[in-house]
Amino acid sequence: MRLVVDLNRCQGYAQCAFLAPDVFAMHGDEALLYDPHAEEERREDVARAVAACPVQAIVVDADDRDETPRAVREATGER
Ligand code: SF4
């Protein structure tokens, strides 16, 4: 599965790292590291993390389409 975290939204609450530790990890107090190509077996954990994120920063591309989701463009665009 492909996923992206909109780092402009992410506030480092770490709910995702708690619920899906194989996919998300906090680096220091605020920086979030994550696997943008998480294994399919992690989908349930990721779904919990998506639901728990207080700012809806996690977007999962359920269809695995080739199009780049809008959130990816936003997250990777210039800041
Ligand atoms: S739960 Fe949401 S706000 Fe918190 S670290 Fe994860 S993506 Fe960021």
Side-chain angles (χ1 to χ4, degrees):
M1 112 192 67
R2 295 193 320 181
L3 66 96
V4 66
V5 176
D6 183 344
L7 296 173
N8 293 316
R9 273 182 184 233
C10 173
Q11 300 296 315
Y13 292 122
Q15 312 284 34
C16 54
F18 178 70
L19 291 164
D22 293 332
V23 179
F24 304 94
M26 298 307 294
H27 183 72
D29 281 346
E30 288 183 359
L32 175 70
L33 303 177
Y34 67 99
D35 179 359
H37 302 286
E39 308 238 348
E40 198 55 38
E41 299 84 69
R42 301 272 82 88
R43 188 173 285 278
E44 241 180 71
D45 290 350
V46 169
R48 284 194 204 102
V50 168
C53 177
V55 293
Q56 289 86 48
I58 307 167
V59 177
V60 177
D61 184 7
D63 298 335
D64 280 333
R65 289 169 301 196
D66 283 332
E67 306 160 49
T68 305
R70 206 183 72 154
V72 174
R73 293 199 303 272
E74 288 175 359
T76 57
E78 317 97 274
R79 293 185 65 178

